[in-house]
């Protein structure tokens, strides 16, 4: 597993779960899910660090 595969893993798994090929037009869906996941992770990290 490469670093890119690891970073894109949440969106890829979501696309597989809903039955869409992650490497086709679902790239936008994969991008959206990855953005949401990493935004939440970073916000939690900032919250822990700041408080």
């Amino acid at each position: 597993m490469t670093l890119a595969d690891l970073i894109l893993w949440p969106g890829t798994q979501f696309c597989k779960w809903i039955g869409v090929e992650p490497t086709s037009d679902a790239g936008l869906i994969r991008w959206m899910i990855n953005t949401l996941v990493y935004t939440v992770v970073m916000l939690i990290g900032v919250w822990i660090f700041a408080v």
Side-chain angles (χ1 to χ4, degrees):
M1 182 176 265
T2 65
L3 182 59
D5 292 336
L6 187 63
I7 291 171
L8 296 173
W9 184 80
T12 303
Q13 293 304 312
F14 180 78
C15 286
K16 288 180 182 177
W17 181 66
I18 63 172
V20 177
E21 180 63 34
T23 57
S24 63
D25 269 346
L28 289 175
I29 296 171
R30 182 170 61 171
W31 170 80
M32 181 187 68
I33 297 301
N34 286 329
T35 300
L36 291 173
V37 166
Y38 291 121
T39 298
V40 169
V41 168
M42 289 302 193
L43 284 173
I44 290 170
V46 168
W47 183 266
I48 290 171
F49 181 72
V51 173

